[in-house]
Amino acid sequence: MSKTSSSFFCKNCGASSPKWLGKCPACGEWNTFIEEVIHKEKTDYKKTWKKENPDKRALKPMLIDEVEKGNEQRIAIKDKEFERVLGGGIVPGSVILIGGEPGIGKSTLMLQVALQFSNKKVLYISGEESDNQIKMRAERLPFSNKECYLFTEVSTQKIGKALQELEPDIVIIDSIQTLQSELIDSTPGSISQIKETAGDLIRFAKETGTPVFLIGHITKDGTLAGPKLLEHMVDTVLQFEGDRHHVYRILRTTKNRFGSTSEIGIYEMQNSGLREVSNPSEILISQRDETLSGVAISATIEGMRPLLIETQALVSQAVYGTPQRNSNGYDAKRLNMLLAILEKKCGLRMGMQDVFVNIAGGLRVEDPGIDLSIIAAIVSSYENVALDSKICFIGEIGLSGEIRAVNRIEQRITEAEKLGFATVYVSKFNKLPKAKNKIRIIETAKLEEFLKLLFG
Ligand code: TYD
Ligand code: MG
């Protein structure tokens, strides 16, 4: 006879306890325990896969010097943005979680990746949409793969059986929150279900060397729904983000065991699916006929790529007692620091002004190399003087108003030159090779000096 019982799980970290607790002993959060009914008695459901992970090694301790590097053959992807974000292709046996808000295009992206493979058996498992809906979506996309299988199912036991029979090369699950293990009574999307179903799929991936993509939902505060544990369990976590009302989407890595986490991929949502944007600098700079005040261009580095971005600022007389400071895509604390430097070192009365800063295109930039451009945009708006649209600004600002050197300056300058910029302002401390570029390079060391050069 089967015996059911319930257990309490922490919503934050997934820790379990037989009784309710006010504070989670594992992660220290308060009021996170919720009750879930689980089926304690497990059948001896044991999976044996016909396919074995070719990379399986001896299960005993080994000297690190003696470990032979397996011939880790990454699976190439036609979609070059996606391939780069993963760190150069899919590692066999890896589990990749893709999160994003509803309607952002996760299903479209994964279906399109599935259809772009050739000579690879891909299994797309959907618990959210019907075969018909997926077929209709596939018809909109300009790709086709003769070996792409569809399976609309939510039970992990049935999915396990299909995996045994079909032996796919790549598996896509849409989405992890809809899966349900028959061994657990709680509803799909609950912590115990996610832990169990993801655990099953991860075991499958590791034992057979088959890569598995898991699509995940996002909660209101922007984190992946389900226990944080899920993010620890998988190898790579990708975020698909962007404004649903704009056409551009950004794919970024927040965790990657097999590559850098600073790469981003940019897509444009079209009627026929997502188009790769391989030259993002062109789209990130807004088209404008006349020159407007409060706009300056900078060159930053995202992962391996130089990227030209547009920084915008609006400075206006504060109406209320406390001036507002608002920043979109740029660190708000850093903005406050720049305003304090302008006040103290350059004598600009920023204390009485509202200041808004924005990076165009919905991008978030952490690189301090765009400081100089932010300053140029702020002063341009403050003085109401438009800057020449053919100037690019690269430099980090130090606390005493010095303009500091930035990394990979040559790559940034070359990108600006490639896009037709005539002048670039850089730090004097960047050691530049002489007369290599056609673009005019102006070197400055101090903020006062820079503002004098620019605004007279
Ligand atoms: P979808 O992949 O269903 O989002 P998610 O799985 O993240 O919830 O995509 C949703 C949006 O994309 C939908 O509003 C329609 C739009 N879309 C296009 O604009 N062009 C297309 O070719 C496709 C397939 C979808
Ligand atoms: Mg979807």
Side-chain angles (χ1 to χ4, degrees), residues 101-108 124 126 128-129 137 174-175 215 217:
E101 285 177 22
I104 204 80
K106 302 177 296 293
S107 306
T108 308
Y124 188 98
S126 178
E128 305 208 323
E129 289 160 307
R137 187 197 304 264
D174 188 3
S175 64
I215 293 179
H217 290 174

Side-chain angles (χ1 to χ4, degrees), residues 234-428:
V234 301
D235 299 305
T236 304
V237 180
L238 305 179
Q239 288 275 11
F240 203 37
E241 45 185 57
D243 190 335
R244 232 179 322 147
H245 306 292
H246 283 85
V247 289
Y248 296 109
R249 303 279 184 272
I250 296 166
L251 185 68
R252 62 171 87 235
T253 29
T254 52
K255 165 184 175 180
N256 194 354
R257 287 189 182 146
F258 311 111
S260 127
T261 51
S262 54
E263 287 294 345
I264 60 166
I266 301 182
Y267 293 90
E268 184 182 354
M269 182 60 100
Q270 293 181 331
N271 268 333
S272 55
L274 291 152
R275 182 184 73 89
E276 295 170 48
V277 176
S278 38
N279 188 2
S281 294
E282 276 170 15
I283 60 144
L284 291 172
I285 297 172
S286 58
Q287 263 61 49
R288 54 199 155 112
D289 304 329
E290 45 178 334
T291 42
L292 305 165
S293 68
V295 174
I297 310 290
S298 185
T300 179
I301 300 272
E302 279 281 356
M304 298 302 290
R305 268 192 312 193
L307 206 61
L308 286 197
I309 54 156
E310 182 177 305
T311 56
Q312 306 168 336
L314 175 68
V315 179
S316 75
Q317 189 77 37
V319 213
Y320 301 109
T322 326
Q324 296 187 59
R325 265 86 230 258
N326 208 329
S327 171
N328 225 335
Y330 182 74
D331 185 13
K333 286 201 192 106
R334 214 166 165 86
L335 171 63
N336 282 332
M337 184 196 92
L338 293 184
L339 294 175
I341 296 170
L342 277 177
E343 177 111 30
K344 172 112 187 175
K345 297 284 168 186
C346 312
L348 296 182
R349 309 262 307 154
M350 299 317 270
M352 296 309 295
Q353 309 284 338
D354 286 340
V355 181
F356 305 93
V357 165
N358 179 41
I359 310 268
L363 216 63
R364 250 189 297 130
V365 181
E366 272 156 24
D367 172 24
I370 68 165
D371 288 354
L372 196 62
S373 171
I374 300 270
I375 289 265
I378 291 173
V379 180
S380 155
S381 176
Y382 178 79
E383 303 277 0
N384 212 5
V385 176
L387 296 168
D388 184 344
S389 62
K390 291 274 166 258
I391 307 180
C392 180
F393 302 92
I394 310 165
E396 179 183 340
I397 312 279
L399 280 180
S400 56
E402 79 273 23
I403 298 171
R404 308 174 53 127
V406 299
N407 61 352
R408 300 177 41 202
I409 185 76
E410 285 139 51
Q411 238 181 316
R412 299 181 197 230
I413 294 177
T414 312
E415 178 75 4
E417 187 176 304
K418 211 168 75 193
L419 284 160
F421 281 78
T423 311
V424 57
Y425 280 85
V426 298
S427 159
K428 202 175 226 158

Side-chain angles (χ1 to χ4, degrees), residues 97-163:
L97 181 64
I98 298 159
E101 285 177 22
I104 204 80
K106 302 177 296 293
S107 306
T108 308
L109 177 71
M110 286 323 298
L111 186 63
Q112 147 170 356
V113 166
L115 292 176
Q116 284 183 71
F117 284 109
S118 44
N119 302 325
K120 287 260 180 284
K121 216 192 275 178
V122 186
L123 177 58
Y124 188 98
I125 299 167
S126 178
E128 305 208 323
E129 289 160 307
S130 68
D131 296 335
N132 246 333
Q133 278 174 305
I134 301 169
K135 175 75 185 163
M136 262 157 55
R137 187 197 304 264
E139 271 168 0
R140 286 172 79 172
L141 305 174
F143 311 103
S144 76
N145 174 2
K146 290 207 171 50
E147 284 198 284
C148 182
Y149 292 82
L150 266 188
F151 189 32
T152 41
E153 181 55 66
V154 292
S155 149
T156 37
Q157 279 71 23
K158 289 189 187 133
I159 289 171
K161 236 165 131 203
L163 292 176

